[in-house]
Amino acid sequence: MNYRPLYSLRVGHEYFDRGICRSFRCRISPAEAALWHRRGLLFRQLGENEWTILYDNDGAGVDTSSDVLVLDMEMTDPAFVLYTLWDGFHPDAAYGLELPSKKETADAVKVIRETAPKRGIGSGFCRIRIRMTDKLVKAARDGKPMTCTLQFHAPAYRWEYLLVPRDGENVPPGKYLMEETGGKLHFPPFEPARMYGREMLRTVSEESVPMHESYGYRLKVVVPTDGTGRKQTVLRHIDPPEPGRFMDAEPGLLRQVCSL
């Protein structure tokens, strides 16, 4: 047997480092496995976010008049909905995707469409149907197999920080400042706010930040020293906000709570 690539699928996401989405896995739909077997096709994973269909170049090949290969894409990260820009997404719904697409890179939320309000037990988040066409087969035999990259995007939020002062401390407005060491993010001085049933201090970033699994920001809380221009660091290595941790934050904000 002489196996060669027939068609490849990749999933990218702005949230992940290097854009390598780790939120899904793909498998041959069990109900459609017989067709794959008859056509002598194989399905292989090339990386965390990439899969390929292989065909036997010495075999009979697929029938471009009728063959549709079906894959089930399963969502493996429940937090996917928190770091993905997808208005109107319903986690319990069934979705479908028709391939090949017109472009090698497709906006995932535009080409993946809801097919039913509820998906069946044990079924994947999205059923992918890859229609075998003369163009697809010719590209594979010419050594230039067609590919599709589904690209997801991450929403951007302003960062809200709540600072819990020491017990009994009377904090004047503007005493504490949040700073990003590289000057990439800017925050107004902390102001008093009553949150979660107690007095706190609050500041919100001036910039909106696209969500990402890791950031290059270095945040600290400082206190200006009167009359000298110097600042004393009171908190350093402050973590960025985590998606889903404080769901009561206002729309457009990601919240983090720190204690002095």
Side-chain angles (χ1 to χ4, degrees):
M1 293 184 177
N2 180 17
Y3 279 101
R4 296 182 179 180
L6 176 64
Y7 190 80
S8 296
L9 175 66
R10 183 181 180 275
V11 183
H13 201 308
E14 294 173 341
Y15 175 77
F16 293 95
D17 293 338
R18 296 179 290 127
I20 298 176
C21 182
R22 301 191 298 274
S23 305
F24 302 101
R25 60 170 170 254
C26 282
R27 60 171 182 163
I28 297 174
S29 178
E32 310 291 340
L35 175 61
W36 290 70
H37 181 72
R38 290 198 305 271
R39 301 300 188 229
L41 301 174
L42 301 176
F43 185 60
R44 294 290 183 266
Q45 184 164 0
L46 302 179
E48 289 182 294
N49 68 327
E50 189 171 2
W51 302 266
T52 190
I53 300 169
L54 301 173
Y55 76 102
D56 182 5
N57 193 49
D58 298 330
V62 298
D63 184 347
T64 57
S65 68
S66 61
D67 285 355
V68 177
L69 306 181
V70 181
L71 299 170
D72 281 339
M73 177 179 283
E74 299 175 347
M75 189 179 296
T76 58
D77 184 5
F80 172 81
V81 298
L82 299 177
Y83 54 73
T84 302
L85 186 61
W86 195 340
D87 292 337
F89 175 72
H90 302 116
D92 295 329
Y95 287 82
L97 171 65
E98 299 289 333
L99 295 175
S101 63
K102 295 180 180 179
K103 298 180 180 180
E104 285 194 2
T105 299
D107 189 331
V109 303
K110 292 182 179 179
V111 296
I112 298 176
R113 295 182 172 88
E114 185 175 334
T115 57
K118 290 284 185 180
R119 60 174 176 265
I121 298 174
S123 63
F125 135 78
C126 179
R127 171 155 288 197
I128 302 172
R129 293 166 44 88
I130 308 171
R131 184 170 298 279
M132 297 294 100
T133 65
D134 292 334
K135 181 178 179 181
L136 185 151
V137 172
K138 183 180 185 303
R141 294 197 181 279
D142 290 344
K144 299 178 181 178
M146 296 172 66
T147 66
C148 178
T149 296
L150 299 173
Q151 183 63 47
F152 287 97
H153 301 281
Y157 291 92
R158 295 166 69 199
W159 287 6
E160 177 192 39
Y161 280 89
L162 301 180
L163 189 61
V164 182
R166 301 179 184 90
D167 289 340
E169 182 181 12
N170 186 15
V171 182
K175 175 181 178 179
Y176 292 107
L177 303 174
M178 175 75 78
E179 289 189 348
E180 198 284 311
T181 304
K184 301 173 186 176
L185 277 181
H186 303 87
F187 294 83
F190 281 96
E191 293 292 339
R194 186 164 183 82
M195 310 286 288
Y196 303 117
R198 66 165 299 166
E199 298 300 325
M200 294 186 176
L201 301 170
R202 178 179 182 267
T203 188
V204 177
S205 66
E206 296 176 1
E207 300 87 355
S208 292
V209 181
M211 292 182 69
H212 204 276
E213 64 176 338
S214 60
Y215 301 92
Y217 302 128
R218 293 175 293 170
L219 296 172
K220 61 182 180 179
V221 175
V222 300
V223 176
T225 303
D226 293 339
T228 66
R230 302 179 63 183
K231 299 172 184 176
Q232 177 187 357
T233 299
V234 293
L235 279 179
R236 62 179 75 244
H237 308 307
I238 296 174
D239 293 331
E242 298 176 19
R245 186 173 182 184
F246 296 97
M247 299 298 290
D248 57 337
E250 296 175 10
L253 300 182
L254 275 183
R255 175 175 293 171
Q256 180 67 292
V257 179
C258 305
S259 298
L260 288 172

